[in-house]
Amino acid sequence: EMDRHHDALTAAREAVARFRWMHGAHPDAFREDLVNALHNLEIDLHNLNLNDEAQQGAQELATLADEPQ
């Protein structure tokens, strides 16, 4: 079961990296995708008790929420 959680974490990190890049190029088009990817990553991090890293993701989500749309 831990392998599945680690596989999910790897996939979530890759998704966040891609959406960060796309959001940087086209913020309006990829904002929601980045928010969803960060949320999924945060869940995976909590499932693996990586709470400090999950908190960093939560802070990035808060920053995105503060950006004008």
Side-chain angles (χ1 to χ4, degrees), residues 17-41:
R18 286 186 186 111
F19 286 121
R20 279 183 182 137
W21 181 81
M22 290 186 284
H23 178 261
H26 304 283
D28 294 335
F30 292 102
R31 175 190 173 87
E32 192 65 31
D33 294 311
L34 178 56
V35 166
N36 289 332
L38 283 166
H39 178 73
N40 291 337
L41 176 60

Side-chain angles (χ1 to χ4, degrees), residues 1 3 8 10 13-14 17 19-23 25 28-29 37 39-40 50 54 61-64 66-67 69:
E1 174 145 337
D3 286 340
T10 298
R13 284 181 169 151
E14 290 173 359
F19 286 121
R20 279 183 182 137
W21 181 81
M22 290 186 284
H23 178 261
D28 294 335
H39 178 73
N40 291 337
L50 299 172
L61 281 168
T63 299
L64 283 170
D66 289 342
E67 286 181 359
Q69 293 188 17

